[in-house]
Amino acid sequence: MDRPIQQQVLFIAGVEEAPLRYRVYLPAEAIGLLGINTQVRFYTDKDLNPAAETAQLVVLHRVRATDEILTLISKLRDKNTPVLYDVDDLIFDPDAARNIPWLETRPAKEVRDFFADVNRYRTAIEACDGLITSTETLCREAHRLIGIPARHFPNGVGLKLDQLSRAALEKLPFTRKPRLCYLSG
């Protein structure tokens, strides 16, 4: 008897900073709650191609275009596997990037490298089927600049942080006064 194919989503991460949690691990957790298997790999992982072979959807987060990544995207699209790009910042617009005051404080080589990365992000996005962004504004900008279909998926809290927050709240004495909580991301 044939068994149904298990759905598999592969997230390919290009950075290890805080956005990794909000834009890769939390969406993977949310998809997992729907019964869909997820894997998270870094774009430099040696086992990236075999992981991509079994995926029904691939999502790249802040992955710079490299020959290897562009070849992988092309192979996936050839076999009709959708490839989406996830971004939480306007890292694909060189004109907007020129207005970042931080760049005025950096050495020339670092500025050149920064703009090379902006162009590599944009190239990777343009190779994909669609874009996922953290805000509606990014969706509109991506559509305006690149013409790529874009959808908004907001940052979230996740199950673990929710559980930890509820546990911490239960330890506090009851009050009718408002309480503030800072949640980065």
Side-chain angles (χ1 to χ4, degrees):
M1 178 176 192
D2 290 336
R3 293 175 23 168
I5 297 173
Q6 179 64 46
Q7 291 180 317
Q8 180 76 36
V9 176
L10 172 63
F11 288 87
I12 301 174
V15 295
E16 293 188 41
E17 293 92 25
L20 177 65
R21 178 168 179 253
Y22 296 106
R23 304 307 302 170
V24 175
Y25 287 115
L26 291 180
E29 175 185 87
I31 292 169
L33 293 173
L34 299 173
I36 298 171
N37 289 329
T38 61
Q39 288 187 58
V40 175
R41 297 274 193 266
F42 284 89
Y43 78 104
T44 54
D45 285 356
K46 300 297 180 215
D47 60 347
L48 191 56
N49 285 326
E53 284 295 318
T54 62
Q56 281 80 45
L57 172 67
V58 175
V59 180
L60 290 84
H61 173 71
R62 282 197 182 217
V63 174
R64 295 165 186 87
T66 63
D67 290 340
E68 295 82 6
I69 287 296
L70 293 175
T71 298
L72 177 64
I73 293 170
S74 180
K75 285 179 182 177
L76 289 166
R77 293 185 82 192
D78 285 349
K79 61 179 240 178
N80 294 319
T81 301
V83 182
L84 303 177
Y85 197 97
D86 179 272
V87 67
D88 60 340
D89 211 343
L90 192 59
I91 61 170
F92 52 86
D93 183 359
D95 291 334
R98 291 186 207 332
N99 297 318
I100 300 173
W102 169 82
L103 291 172
E104 296 170 12
T105 68
R106 311 312 310 158
K109 182 185 181 326
E110 192 172 338
V111 171
R112 283 192 306 276
D113 291 347
F114 173 82
F115 279 104
D117 280 347
V118 169
N119 290 322
R120 284 192 282 266
Y121 289 131
R122 173 101 172 232
T123 299
I125 291 169
E126 290 172 341
C128 292
D129 298 301
L131 185 67
I132 304 166
T133 71
S134 58
T135 68
E136 291 289 345
T137 301
L138 284 173
C139 283
R140 286 190 298 275
E141 282 301 294
H143 188 71
R144 181 181 71 79
L145 292 168
I146 304 172
I148 191 169
R151 297 292 182 268
H152 170 229
F153 182 82
N155 288 343
V157 173
L159 293 176
K160 185 174 183 173
L161 184 56
D162 178 61
Q163 292 167 350
L164 292 171
S165 298
R166 289 176 190 273
L169 187 60
E170 288 176 10
K171 293 178 182 177
L172 296 174
F174 175 79
T175 180
R176 293 199 181 276
K177 294 179 182 178
R179 292 199 169 130
L180 298 178
C181 176
Y182 172 75
L183 301 170
S184 68

